[in-house]
Structure formats: structure tokens, C-alpha cells
Amino acid sequence: MTNTKRSVTGTAPLLGTRALNRATLDRQLLLRPARLSVAAAVEHLVGLQAQNVKPPYYALAARLDGFTPEALSRLMADREAVRIVTMRSTIHTHTADDCLTLRPLVQPARDRELVTFRKGLAGVDLERLAAIARDLVETEPRTMTQLREALLREWPDADPQALAVAARCRLPLVQVTPRGLWGRSGQVRLTTAEHWLGRPAQPAPAPDAVVLRYLAAFGPASVQDMQAWAGMTRLRDAFERLRPQLVTFRDEAGVELFDLPDAPRPDPETPAPPRFLPEFDNLLLSHADRTRVVPPEHRGRSWQGNLAHRTLLVDGFLAGLWRLEEDALVIEPFDRLTRARRDEVTAEGERMLRVMHPGSSYDIRFGVVRG
């Protein structure tokens, strides 16, 4: 079947941009603080993007009632959550159970990723490389530099970077603690998920099951939306198999959207409090069409080259950037805020600081409005 967007203009109920926004914010636990455990939230959200150490902590601070950074840190120290490359070939924080199932699900995409490096891997037996790399990291967690140097001794004519990428793609490598713990530092050292968690990987779940989880966390959504989130292709067949148990809508461009029948779809005028999100938050990265959160006039403003900025939501939509300086939370709205909106943003900033930096003193400053 084709993976192109399917137009259903006039054949399904319309969900406007604000309706999609409020539905997605509700699924993302951003309309109101959720009373969930950290493990339950990470599972519901199907992981948290985590190229850097701190974003998952700020992501949960924006979503959970009573969250403390120590709660996620403890989960990682107890090996109940891990950092591993999964969706979109990026590092995510997953529960241990999801790590052992979702990584097998996306393994075909990791295999395809190696095509880009085939020139640097000429003459390299990838099965042997995986076996050697597994033995190395399960004997002792290794840095990528150590792994690359060891593999280069086996294949001195290969591209060193390609060898390291091949090991990362062929094996489910997790970053061992103290890397990823709140308030701790440490090099990225790797071992296999099976070795770190003390149990074998599980069979990859059927795509159908993951479609249902994606819709619960990110829906309503199109086939292309899920493919953008997962970094996978050819998922239409799974949606078609599920069609009898799903409901369908259309967005303002006429694209078909799928959803769970009983999933929340709040009134478009439901209040959406300001939220301070980290760089790489999944809310902004998990749809092919991001206009449900990112107004067209602000498209691309949360990125600069390969650098992602921390983002501010106002009324549910991307509305500015923020950063922590030594003594201040600096907020930079894209557009001028009313006094009432400014007060709401300040109050949410104070709440975020209490959660993430208790006992510290920060001023709150509004920077120059960006044009």
C-alpha cells in the first residue's frame, strides 16, 4: 500500500488545529499535572527523547504532579529505566520493558541506517563485528572511543566512525549509570540491554500494538505522523488492519487522522496553562505535520542548525524560548504577551524552578521579544 497522505475531504468529521492541539496536549499530560508514577508516565509516553541528560527530567516536571528529579534518577539507578537509541535513531529514556521490546521493533530501521556507511564498512563482516562488540561491552562497559579502537584493530582499513556506528546499530547498546542520573556526571559507557537488565530481549511487538500506544500518547494522528515519530516506513498496513476498531477524522488540509474511540478529545477552548519544555521534547517532534503545536509563523524557531532550544508553550502552542542562566530564568517570547499571560508564564516558571531547583534562587526575566 502507498505511504502517501490520504485525503478524506468531506468524508470524516473535521478536527481543527485547536481541537488537535488540545487532544494531543491531553494525551501528553500537559493540560493538567498527571497523578502518575514516573515509570507509568514514561511508559504511557512511549519513552522520552534524551540526546542530553536533562531533557527527560524537565519533560516530566512539566507533566507530573509531585515530580522530583530524584524519582527518575532512582528508576535509572535501579535499572528500571535506561537510555538507548530507538525511535528516529535518537537516544530515548525508556522503561526496561519497553527497551527490550521497542528496540527489536525498530531494528530493521537501524539495519537500513548502515547503508549510509557501506563504503566505510567494505570488507567488514557485520555478524562478526556484532559478536566482537558484544563480547567487549559485556566484559566491561566501554566508551565509543574504546569500542572504535578495538574494532579498528580487527579491520584497520575500515572507517573508524563507521565501525562504531555499526556496533551501535547492530546491538541494543544502553548507556550505563552514572550517566543520566540527576546531579551526577559520567562518560557515555555502553553495554548491551540484555546484560545491563539481566534478561533477554523480547520479540518485537506487532506494529498494530505500537500504533495503539502511539495514538494513546500522540493522537489523533495520520499514518505519516506515526512514521515520523518512529522513524519507520510502511505502517499503513497496520492502520488498515486496525481501522475497524478505530475512529477517523480529517484535519484542515483534508488528511485522514486515526484515533482510539474512547481517547480524550477536549473542547478546543479548554484552557491550556503555560508549560516550560526541554529541548528535544517529543511533543514537538512526533508528527509529520507539527502545526497542531507549532504555528506556521514560528516554524523552525526552536532550532538553530543542530541545536535545539528549550521551548515555551502559551495557550498550548509554541510561543517562545527559555534558558537558565547562573542567577535567572530568562524567557524570550516570540510575540508580545498580555499582562495576564505574562503573569501565568511567570507563575509556571516559578513552579518549574521549585520542582527542578529547590532551594536555589533565580530571578525571572523576560528577554527581548524576537521578531
Side-chain angles (χ1 to χ4, degrees), residues 18-47:
R18 286 186 66 88
L20 281 175
N21 175 271
R22 292 317 196 249
T24 306
L25 291 181
D26 202 333
R27 320 285 172 92
Q28 282 287 298
L29 315 179
L30 288 167
L31 277 186
R32 65 196 68 82
R35 296 183 177 180
L36 290 176
S37 70
V38 170
V42 174
E43 180 181 9
H44 167 74
L45 297 167
V46 205

Side-chain angles (χ1 to χ4, degrees), residues 40-203:
V42 174
E43 180 181 9
H44 167 74
L45 297 167
V46 205
L48 301 164
Q49 192 152 327
Q51 282 99 316
N52 298 333
V53 168
K54 293 180 180 179
Y57 291 90
Y58 284 98
L60 292 174
R63 289 167 164 88
L64 297 185
D65 182 30
F67 174 73
T68 64
E70 292 74 21
L72 176 58
S73 197
R74 186 164 52 250
L75 207 66
M76 298 188 69
D78 292 342
R79 307 191 187 189
E80 295 177 25
V82 296
R83 294 163 54 82
I84 184 172
V85 172
T86 52
M87 317 306 176
R88 305 183 298 280
S89 193
T90 54
I91 299 168
H92 280 66
T93 295
H94 287 294
T95 64
D97 287 345
D98 274 353
C99 166
L100 293 170
T101 56
L102 292 177
R103 175 54 195 246
L105 176 75
V106 300
Q107 186 57 46
R110 302 290 69 75
D111 292 338
R112 288 193 299 273
E113 186 180 344
L114 286 179
V115 173
T116 308
F117 298 90
R118 60 183 178 274
K119 185 176 179 181
L121 295 170
V124 175
D125 181 334
L126 292 178
E127 293 299 326
R128 183 163 172 256
L129 178 145
I132 292 172
R134 180 181 290 275
D135 183 62
L136 285 166
V137 299
E138 290 186 350
T139 298
E140 177 186 358
R142 312 277 177 154
T143 66
M144 283 298 270
T145 298
Q146 291 171 330
L147 194 53
R148 184 168 58 243
E149 290 174 350
L151 294 171
L152 196 58
R153 288 195 288 271
E154 295 289 332
W155 291 281
D157 297 327
D159 175 65
Q161 184 63 26
L163 290 172
V165 170
R168 189 198 71 172
C169 286
R170 294 305 295 266
L171 295 176
L173 297 178
V174 300
Q175 297 184 3
V176 305
T177 54
R179 181 73 176 180
L181 301 185
W182 185 251
R184 300 281 299 277
S185 61
Q187 284 185 299
V188 174
R189 294 164 58 246
L190 305 163
T191 189
T192 63
E194 300 96 327
H195 186 72
W196 185 245
L197 299 174
R199 49 196 170 109
Q202 300 300 305

